Amino acid sequence: MHTAAGSSAATDIAAIAERIRSGGTSLGIELGSTRIKAVLIDDHYRVIASGEHQWENHLENGLWTYPLEEVWQGVQAAYAALAHDVKTAYGEDIVRVGAMGFSAMMHGYLAFDSDGELLVPFRTWRNTNTRQAHEKLSELFQYNIPERWSVAHLYQCILDHEPHVPRVAYITTLAGYVHWQLTGRKVIGVGDASGMFPIDPETRTWDAELSRTFDEIPEVAAQPWSFHDVFPTTLVAGQDAGMLTVKGARLLDPTGTLKPGVRMAPPEGDAGTGMVATNSVRVRTGNVSAGTSIFAMVVLEHKLKALHPEVDLVTTPAGDLAGMSHANNFTSDLNAWVGLFGQFAQAAGFEIDAGSLYGALFRAAIAEGVPPDAKGLLNFPFYSGEFLAGLDEGRPLFARSPEAALTLGAFMRSQLFSAFAPVRIGMDVMTKQEHVQIDSLVGHGGIFATPKVAQSILAAAFNTPIKVMATASEGGAWGMAVLADYLWHAEEPLADYLDDRVFSDVQFTTEQPIPADVEGFEQFFERFVAGLPIERAAIEAIPLSQ
């Protein structure tokens, strides 16, 4: 991480303090599913201060939500922690900021009436009560409309005859809502918008033909509003998205220290800030974001030729089309097994920290003599349902043949292979059926903290070189701060700005696919797909909770 705060050079600290006083900084705040993080950067894109706040969604009446009061409590707490960090490190109060922007988890449903009052509790991306809308809209549009997209939520409300629907005056995303409250502008970044409704990559705004088609659906035509009445205005990165108002400044910083008038970047989604944080906005580049869930995304040269439910179509913050393979399951099962090994070590009298434990187990997966295909071992990491695998529910499951190589290395290889297997299903659709070309993929997430291991496993799984950059750990809040700074450089294409300014001297490592590992993963993947009936049988036989 580029962190100037830890520098012992008094001149550097003095220079940063002057940047803070003069407003020569950029602020990014991202509202993730479990953490709200604020990051302040200088003109060298170094993190000079940060703050965060932990939060959790709530299950209310069968739907996942966050109360709006918790949104503001969290945003204020993250900003206050950042301001405290600045005061501690540099002795300065944050009075002015050069530019700022907000990003958040994408999709979901925030619907307001004409007085700006929330009509129903915020419905997050995690809700899957919209299958009927997903299926009908995808068929009608011949364009994949995932269950979590905002238009799927809106249409499902119409199909369910929810009484609030005729009163809808505005719908937006979480980032769009926060931006609206801080600026008074009902706008949204095109990347975040692409998780609400399809975007036309030529016009870089809502697809005009599909929006007309939506308005012509009889149930929609019966409403007192039309598509363009209730959806926000889209903006591409670098466009003016308004200023922080007096009300907005007090909402963000109740102490009144922060002055209004800060330039605001278009609010973005976490997919877009992830692209920026990994320098993956240029055509034929992509990134793999790995955490509790995982997605692999590639910026496309052209539209896909056919409808593929396995591929979500989103855009970069500049409006270029990107294909995404998104899997709900990634590290939960892996973490559970690592935890079990940790318990064994403790029972045997060994004290081992988490980093050393993960490192030892991960390195075993690529040690000399480990069978490239994890010989005879099979693992299904499904804690929850997985659309890509056709599963409504999940049951973590490990299986093996009697002659399998039950060694630590083979076991850990099967764990890592299985973690990447679901997202590979959607990638195969793009690369094998649509012949999408990929020049490079960047991996980011905690699983890449152990040098080489997950990077080389992913290279084998996708048969593509995998980069891991030093800045990948900065995350979406840093990516949003960079997008805020881009307001001052919008005469340059975003891809050139990132290459020439932000990432010009960033260090990275690259792992090339090893042919034996590529073949080994292919063999494992064939077993994985063929073995999915075992997972379905487990869902039938094992209660969800007991």
Side-chain angles (χ1 to χ4, degrees):
M1 178 181 289
H2 297 292
T3 306
S7 172
S8 60
T11 53
D12 195 24
I13 292 175
I16 293 171
E18 173 55 33
R19 299 293 296 177
I20 293 167
R21 283 193 297 274
S22 65
T25 56
S26 297
L27 172 65
I29 298 181
E30 181 158 283
L31 295 89
S33 57
T34 60
R35 181 179 69 166
I36 301 173
K37 185 170 184 180
V39 163
L40 192 69
I41 64 173
D42 65 7
D43 55 339
H44 297 292
Y45 311 103
R46 299 175 299 181
V47 175
I48 58 177
S50 64
E52 62 182 64
H53 171 77
Q54 304 296 320
W55 70 337
E56 288 288 348
N57 53 191
H58 308 275
L59 187 62
E60 295 181 6
N61 299 317
L63 295 171
W64 292 103
T65 187
Y66 298 86
L68 293 191
E69 56 267 25
E70 291 188 14
V71 170
W72 294 110
Q73 289 167 6
V75 167
Q76 290 170 0
Y79 179 82
L82 176 134
H84 181 265
D85 195 17
V86 168
K87 187 71 171 179
T88 301
Y90 309 105
E92 296 291 333
D93 294 317
I94 304 177
V95 177
R96 54 184 59 85
V97 175
M100 78 170 64
F102 286 78
S103 60
M105 59 190 108
M106 294 172 65
H107 321 296
Y109 184 68
L110 276 160
F112 300 88
D113 66 14
S114 57
D115 295 323
E117 295 297 320
L118 187 68
L119 290 167
V120 291
F122 171 34
R123 299 174 183 178
T124 78
W125 62 272
R126 193 175 180 184
N127 292 294
T128 57
N129 62 307
T130 57
R131 172 166 290 192
Q132 185 183 10
H134 146 70
E135 292 174 347
K136 286 193 171 189
L137 291 176
S138 296
E139 177 62 27
L140 178 65
F141 292 170
Q142 284 300 291
Y143 191 108
N144 185 31
I145 305 295
E147 293 174 344
R148 60 188 182 277
W149 279 28
S150 303
V151 70
H153 282 276
L154 175 61
Y155 187 46
Q156 191 66 51
C157 291
I158 295 172
L159 294 174
D160 293 342
H161 305 289
E162 294 198 30
H164 76 274
V165 170
R167 297 170 54 206
V168 170
Y170 182 50
I171 72 166
T172 188
T173 64
L174 182 55
Y177 162 71
V178 172
H179 184 93
W180 171 36
Q181 297 304 301
L182 296 181
T183 66
R185 296 278 303 275
K186 294 180 177 180
V187 299
I188 190 170
V190 68
D192 202 13
S194 69
M196 297 185 75
F197 191 86
I199 296 294
D200 183 339
E202 298 298 324
T203 63
R204 299 174 191 247
T205 187
W206 309 118
D207 189 297
E209 181 179 349
L210 293 183
S211 64
R212 283 194 299 270
T213 300
F214 180 72
D215 279 339
E216 291 167 0
I217 299 172
E219 302 95 330
V220 178
Q223 303 303 321
W225 45 260
S226 65
F227 175 89
H228 289 287
D229 293 333
V230 299
F231 276 71
T233 300
T234 60
L235 298 174
V236 298
Q239 283 190 294
D240 173 39
M243 295 281 196
L244 183 68
T245 63
V246 172
K247 172 188 171 185
R250 184 55 64 93
L251 192 55
L252 179 58
D253 178 18
T255 70
T257 305
L258 179 65
K259 301 299 183 187
V262 180
R263 292 188 71 185
M264 299 289 287
E268 263 301 343
D270 50 4
T273 56
M275 293 184 208
V276 171
T278 56
N279 193 19
S280 303
V281 303
R282 196 178 292 280
V283 167
R284 293 174 60 145
T285 67
N287 70 95
V288 179
S289 178
T292 305
S293 62
I294 179 173
F295 64 77
M297 190 155 40
V298 181
V299 184
L300 305 175
E301 296 178 272
H302 49 72
K303 290 183 178 181
L304 301 184
K305 298 181 180 65
L307 168 65
H308 300 284
E310 303 88 351
V311 180
D312 297 355
L313 293 172
V314 295
T315 76
T316 71
D320 294 308
L321 204 60
M324 176 196 293
S325 173
H326 178 277
N328 293 333
N329 298 270
F330 189 63
T331 56
S332 295
D333 189 39
L334 180 62
N335 290 341
W337 282 107
V338 172
L340 183 66
F341 283 113
Q343 292 174 37
F344 168 75
Q346 189 174 39
F350 297 100
E351 291 296 329
I352 184 169
D353 63 84
S356 299
L357 177 63
Y358 274 90
L361 292 172
F362 277 25
R363 285 189 293 272
I366 61 170
E368 187 175 351
V370 175
D373 68 338
K375 185 179 177 182
L377 304 186
L378 191 55
N379 190 72
F380 295 103
F382 301 116
Y383 260 62
S384 64
E386 189 61 76
F387 179 82
L388 288 170
L391 302 171
D392 291 330
E393 295 180 5
R395 302 291 187 274
L397 181 66
F398 175 73
R400 63 190 178 98
S401 68
E403 299 298 321
L406 189 56
T407 64
L408 180 62
F411 177 80
M412 289 307 302
R413 178 168 282 239
S414 75
Q415 289 292 320
L416 289 165
F417 272 1
S418 71
F420 287 114
V423 76
R424 165 67 186 269
I425 296 171
M427 284 294 288
D428 274 357
V429 171
M430 286 192 277
T431 59
K432 295 181 178 181
Q433 296 184 34
E434 291 283 350
H435 307 292
V436 170
Q437 300 297 309
I438 305 172
D439 290 338
S440 67
L441 282 174
V442 177
H444 61 118
I447 197 169
F448 298 105
T450 299
K452 187 173 182 177
V453 181
Q455 197 174 350
S456 62
I457 293 289
L458 181 57
F462 288 175
N463 194 18
T464 299
I466 303 296
K467 291 181 181 179
V468 172
M469 297 190 293
T471 52
S473 63
E474 307 286 20
W478 180 78
M480 192 65 240
V482 170
L483 284 172
D485 176 82
Y486 180 60
L487 288 169
W488 305 106
H489 307 282
E491 73 283 355
E492 303 175 50
L494 180 60
D496 291 346
Y497 161 80
L498 294 175
D499 280 345
D500 299 341
R501 293 179 182 270
V502 182
F503 293 95
S504 59
D505 59 353
V506 167
Q507 300 297 309
F508 61 87
T509 62
T510 303
E511 289 293 330
Q512 300 289 337
I514 299 171
D517 287 341
V518 172
E519 178 61 26
F521 184 87
E522 291 297 330
Q523 293 171 3
F524 178 90
F525 187 65
E526 288 179 13
R527 294 204 309 272
F528 183 90
V529 174
L532 284 172
I534 305 171
E535 173 69 13
R536 296 187 181 98
I539 293 169
E540 292 293 326
I542 303 173
L544 184 60
S545 60
Q546 65 176 19

